[in-house]
């Protein structure tokens, strides 16, 4: 019987972050009538694992902004407790846990739920009429930067929250990238850029920028690179433990 690979504290926090993403966007899907046949059950499942997605992610972004990503022994006790509280219901943190959230994120992307939410937010800015959004009929709202050439306008509260949520996400992952020397040539500059933007009142330009920032993060594969690096470090630590155990066993045999 093979031993299940246990996640590190940093990896478990990433699981919680991704659960928060899923809980938030399935919740918004419910709110805006996106995939009404499945969105409620998806939201109930992910929100049961991450009941306060906006608060958790923005808190993680604030910690990263202040210089901590909880990747080492300097993680504060309140952070440890929060991660524990949000993961205890799921049982032991293992690789299957990470695979589950990654599968959930792939489904979210395949169904274009995030795009549909963005479109719904834009619709509700123009009109208070609530109509279900069909993700299959969406325009390509992420690829165009035309909005950057127009005068910035204020966002509604829901749009502001979405920008703040995504800015916190970007700060969190670029902080980890910087701390782990991933994409060294740009990580520090990107981190500082998002930190600087985070303290400002979000406008329509910020809404465009965060989408481009998320696209860059995914295109560069930052999350995957961090996962591979973390797994490598965990495996090295395990090998060292095994070697120490073998050494102790050998010493015991010599004494006999």
């Amino acid at each position: 019987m093979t031993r299940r690979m246990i996640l590190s504290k940093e990896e478990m926090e990433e699981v919680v972050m991704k659960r928060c993403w899923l809980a938030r966007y399935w919740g918004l899907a419910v709110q805006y009538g996106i995939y009404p046949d499945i969105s409620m059950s998806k939201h109930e499942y992910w929100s049961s694992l991450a009941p306060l997605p906006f608060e958790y992610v923005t808190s993680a972004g604030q910690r990263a902004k202040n210089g901590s990503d909880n990747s080492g022994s300097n993680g504060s006790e309140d952070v440890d407790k929060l991660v524990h509280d949000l993961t205890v219901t799921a049982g032991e943190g293992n690789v299957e846990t990470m695979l589950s959230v990654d599968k959930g994120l792939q489904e979210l992307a395949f169904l274009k739920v995030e795009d549909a939410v963005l479109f719904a937010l834009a619709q509700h800015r123009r009109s208070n009429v609530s109509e279900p959004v069909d993700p299959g009929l969406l325009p390509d709202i992420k690829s165009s930067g035309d909005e950057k050439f127009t005068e910035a306008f204020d966002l509604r509260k829901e749009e502001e929250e979405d920008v703040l949520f995504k800015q916190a996400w970007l700060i969190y992952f670029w902080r980890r990238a910087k701390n782990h020397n991933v994409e060294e040539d740009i990580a520090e500059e990107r981190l500082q850029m998002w930190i600087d933007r985070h303290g400002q009142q979000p406008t329509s330009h910020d809404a465009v920028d965060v989408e481009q920032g998320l696209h860059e993060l995914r295109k560069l594969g930052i999350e995957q690179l961090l996962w591979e690096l973390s797994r490598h470090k965990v495996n090295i630590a395990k090998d060292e433990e095994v070697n120490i155990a073998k050494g102790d066993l050998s010493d015991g045999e010599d004494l006999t």
Side-chain angles (χ1 to χ4, degrees), residues 130-145:
S130 178
E131 297 181 359
V133 176
D134 183 352
L137 301 177
L138 293 176
D140 189 356
I141 55 180
K142 288 185 178 181
S143 62
S144 174

Side-chain angles (χ1 to χ4, degrees), residues 44-197:
E44 288 177 351
Y45 174 73
W46 291 112
S47 63
S48 70
L49 300 174
L52 298 170
F54 180 81
E55 290 80 0
Y56 185 88
V57 170
T58 53
S59 175
Q62 187 61 48
R63 295 196 312 273
K65 183 178 179 179
N66 294 337
S68 170
D69 67 344
N70 197 34
S71 61
S73 59
N74 293 328
S76 62
E77 292 182 4
D78 59 327
V79 172
D80 294 342
K81 184 178 185 303
L82 186 54
V83 173
H84 173 74
D85 290 346
L86 287 178
T87 57
V88 68
T89 56
E92 184 181 72
N94 50 61
V95 171
E96 287 84 352
T97 311
M98 179 67 85
L99 294 176
S100 173
V101 293
D102 283 343
K103 183 179 179 180
L105 290 170
Q106 289 170 11
E107 179 185 39
L108 198 76
F110 177 76
L111 295 174
K112 297 185 178 180
V113 174
E114 295 146 300
D115 289 354
V117 167
L118 284 176
F119 188 71
L121 287 171
Q123 272 192 328
H124 280 247
R125 186 195 323 121
R126 301 185 185 99
S127 170
N128 290 325
V129 177
S130 178
E131 297 181 359
V133 176
D134 183 352
L137 301 177
L138 293 176
D140 189 356
I141 55 180
K142 288 185 178 181
S143 62
S144 174
D146 293 346
E147 294 88 343
K148 295 289 288 186
F149 296 99
T150 63
E151 185 177 350
F153 53 82
D154 293 336
L155 302 175
R156 295 170 65 246
K157 180 182 177 182
E158 293 85 351
E159 293 173 302
E160 287 185 1
E161 284 189 354
D162 200 53
V163 171
L164 293 173
F165 182 86
K166 290 171 178 174
Q167 285 178 340
W169 186 273
L170 289 162
I171 291 170
Y172 172 81
F173 279 103
W174 279 117
R175 169 64 71 185
R176 287 182 60 197
K178 177 180 180 295
N179 288 356
H180 292 295
N181 299 316
V182 172
E183 293 291 341
E184 297 177 75
D185 53 333
I186 63 171
E188 185 170 2
E189 185 272 333
R190 292 295 191 276
L191 173 62
Q192 192 58 52
M193 179 185 74
W194 291 115
I195 287 176
D196 292 342
R197 299 290 291 274

